[in-house]
Amino acid sequence: MTAVADLVGVQDRALSRAELAVLDAIDEQGVVEDLVRSIRVPSTTGSDAETEEQHQQAAALTRLGFDVDTWALDLPALAAHPDFPGTEAPRTEGVGVVGVLGPAGVPALVLQGHVDVVPTGDLGKWVDRDPFSGAVRGGAVHGRGACDMKAGCAVNLGVARALAASGVRLERPFAVHSVVSEEDGGLGAFATVVRGHRGEAAVITEPTSGRVLVANAGALTFELTVDGRAAHGSTRLEGHSAVEAFLPVFAALTELERERNAAPHPLFAGQPLPYPISVGTLRAGDWASSVPDVLVAEGRMGVRLGEAPEEARAALRRALDDLAAGDPWLRDHPVRLAWTGGQFASGRLAEGHPLLGEVTRAVHDVEGRTAAAAAAPYGSDLRLYTGLSGIPTLQYGPGDVRFAHAPREQVRIEEVLRTTRTLAVLAARRCGAHL
């Protein structure tokens, strides 16, 4: 348990008796154990283990006395919905979990996190070739999902446990949303809001490196197909390599990226590339001594703050058309463009909304520092909560996103516990906790 006396100076910052009681009820060891246990469940997006972890989340909330809604996602109905966000990973099932504590009504605060993680990549690059060890070394917990974002999910459960164990009464309800499929488009968050779950405000505990993220750029997954003309490699001039045809296409993508990042929003101060255009996979040819007749490139395109996804798509289409106008091969063999996989719009907390001040005040009162407001260059569930369901939402959670999706993925334990304390105070305040 957290000893309030050990929170240096915290008594001198404007905390109520109820808030101090919630802080004192935080089970720090339990938070770390939740994180380690969760990492050991290999809940890659779309896997059976993803469903297993959702049931673990539901069981934990049920034990704490939460009113828990656990449901199987209706995948065909969601895919047919006009606002369907898209997916990339194959999936046969999905489970949603929402737990609510306190009186009836719309939750005053939602803490949200996703349980799915990206694939591990080359196991040889992981310590002990075990990405799901949950090993504790050097004051940090290591493993796939440690940072993105099982630490955030452990924080959410830690706050839930503290509220339930502290003996405080809530004037307004508190909720935890546990979702799947964030990594490939946000199907779980989409299903949660379509089911009707709402909140007066939400914090997504994605890794934010101590900042308060009030906005996200969007990200659209694309596929480019570039045609060539096959020939024997010994007579390659009789053909036209799809690889060579792609080179000016790649240059055009680079130029479009430069243009779109010429004047980024001030919230991206310090971000060298807020709206990247990145090619992630290339496939070309089927025989070493043949001139390749087709190349397929898959990548992602950043969406600027306030820009509709349709506008971003049109910008890429125009860039390809302008290139083809001056390239004889591409003029006669136009690049085929398809929008596949996850389609993240940008999202932003409404300017001037009090949630930002409430979070930064909690950071100051518990952590003794001033947290900067900023934006992130990656897509997240924020845009579904703010845009689709109208829930004012920001991101504040433990971890450094530079460790996410990497074989050195880790999160510092003190950062996890510090965030738990801050969000516990925020929850107590927003939900009107009293003794």
Side-chain angles (χ1 to χ4, degrees), residues 34-45 47-57 115-118 131-134 143-146 150:
D34 280 340
L35 174 54
V36 170
R37 180 208 58 76
S38 180
I39 291 172
R40 290 174 177 171
V41 179
S43 53
T44 306
T45 304
S47 67
D48 292 344
E50 185 191 54
T51 295
E52 176 188 343
E53 180 59 20
Q54 281 291 77
H55 286 301
Q56 295 270 15
Q57 295 285 319
V115 302
D116 61 311
V117 300
V118 298
F132 298 108
S133 68
R144 173 58 82 229
K150 291 189 173 181

Side-chain angles (χ1 to χ4, degrees), residues 65-140:
F66 278 61
D67 181 9
V68 179
D69 179 19
T70 304
W71 74 98
L73 274 54
D74 187 337
L75 300 179
L78 292 169
H81 194 288
D83 294 316
F84 178 61
T87 58
E88 295 180 29
R91 164 181 305 281
T92 58
E93 64 180 5
V95 172
V97 175
V98 169
V100 180
L101 181 70
V106 176
L109 179 67
V110 173
L111 295 184
Q112 192 256 34
H114 67 83
V115 302
D116 61 311
V117 300
V118 298
T120 60
D122 181 0
L123 293 179
K125 292 184 168 68
W126 290 86
V127 175
D128 300 327
R129 297 180 60 85
D130 187 359
F132 298 108
S133 68
V136 178
R137 295 191 303 272

